[in-house]
Amino acid sequence: MEAWIISTYASHHYLIYALILVVGFLEGPYVSMVCGAILSLGFLNFWPLYIALMIGDLIGDVMWYFIGYRFGERFALKYGKYFKLNQEHITRIKTIFHKHKNPLLFLSKISNGMGFALAVLFTAGMSRINFWKFIAVNALGQLMWSGILIAVGFFFGNLYMSINNVMGKISILVVFAIFIFAVIRFIKYLREKANL
């Protein structure tokens, strides 16, 4: 089995990057850190990995933009009443978003939206932000964000490889798991605060 996996990877390594692109689309930030750790072990090449993660994450962003573009205002008016949101509020949100679109999109991307990424992407579509401007700002933020996440994973992977005893390696894995758990909890906390 192991030999088959190695020979498949050697002859069809582009399939690995296609899989990373798909998984990056589904859960970009965590996959980027894990891939950074795998990169430090020498099993992946940086540029194809970086490009696959960027494209996967950007495909997700474009999907949410178009959902907001197509259904945004109708959805906000239908379900906004539960949050005391009316047409006047929606118009105000769109005006603010148009005025500050570049910093909002860029900061949302490099901070993973601090828990509000989907809302920002959805609002960008609902506000009819120019698609090419949306892509340009998001891609710029994605360049930085993917690089940072890969670097974090790479650092932990290198740290793991530099320690020679079992307890040290277990400690690094525990710290890495705690770090990822803390990021997930922080994002959930921000989402819960936003719903209050």
Side-chain angles (χ1 to χ4, degrees):
M1 180 70 171
E2 216 173 279
W4 178 81
I5 291 169
I6 292 167
S7 70
T8 302
Y9 173 74
S11 55
H12 303 292
H13 63 276
Y14 59 89
L15 291 175
I16 299 296
Y17 298 107
L19 179 63
I20 288 169
L21 187 148
V22 171
V23 177
F25 161 72
L26 298 173
E27 201 52 69
Y30 313 117
V31 172
S32 297
M33 286 189 281
V34 170
C35 285
I38 295 169
L39 178 68
S40 73
L41 303 175
F43 291 113
L44 297 170
N45 294 317
F46 175 74
W47 286 111
L49 171 66
Y50 188 50
I51 291 166
L53 288 168
M54 279 190 51
I55 291 172
D57 217 340
L58 285 171
I59 288 170
D61 294 351
V62 168
M63 181 190 77
W64 283 108
Y65 171 89
F66 278 114
I67 289 172
Y69 192 94
R70 178 79 173 89
F71 305 106
E73 194 158 340
R74 208 171 352 153
F75 179 86
L77 286 171
K78 186 173 182 180
Y79 297 103
K81 61 187 174 191
Y82 300 111
F83 305 100
K84 298 184 176 150
L85 190 66
N86 58 32
Q87 182 65 57
E88 184 185 336
H89 295 124
I90 292 168
T91 303
R92 196 176 317 146
I93 288 167
K94 287 163 73 174
T95 302
I96 291 168
F97 207 95
H98 270 282
K99 189 174 182 183
H100 303 288
K101 62 185 169 284
N102 292 341
L104 280 170
L105 288 168
F106 184 77
L107 290 172
S108 174
K109 178 49 73 178
I110 64 168
S111 65
N112 198 29
M114 295 304 264
F116 307 107
L118 296 182
V120 171
L121 298 169
F122 184 86
T123 306
M126 183 178 76
S127 303
R128 303 289 204 265
I129 299 300
N130 177 281
F131 177 72
W132 297 111
K133 284 186 181 174
F134 167 81
I135 284 292
V137 174
N138 249 27
L140 183 62
Q142 191 66 54
L143 279 167
M144 291 179 64
W145 185 233
S146 291
I148 289 167
L149 294 173
I150 291 170
V152 167
F154 190 86
F155 168 76
F156 277 107
N158 268 341
L159 196 58
Y160 177 83
M161 291 307 291
S162 68
I163 294 173
N164 294 325
N165 61 55
V166 173
M167 285 309 291
K169 289 190 179 214
I170 290 171
S171 299
I172 295 302
L173 290 173
V174 168
V175 168
F176 188 57
I178 289 170
F179 176 77
I180 289 178
F181 178 76
V183 168
I184 292 168
R185 288 300 307 151
F186 183 65
I187 289 170
K188 283 184 179 175
Y189 168 77
L190 288 173
R191 284 181 181 156
E192 287 165 8
K193 291 292 277 183
N195 290 333
L196 294 178

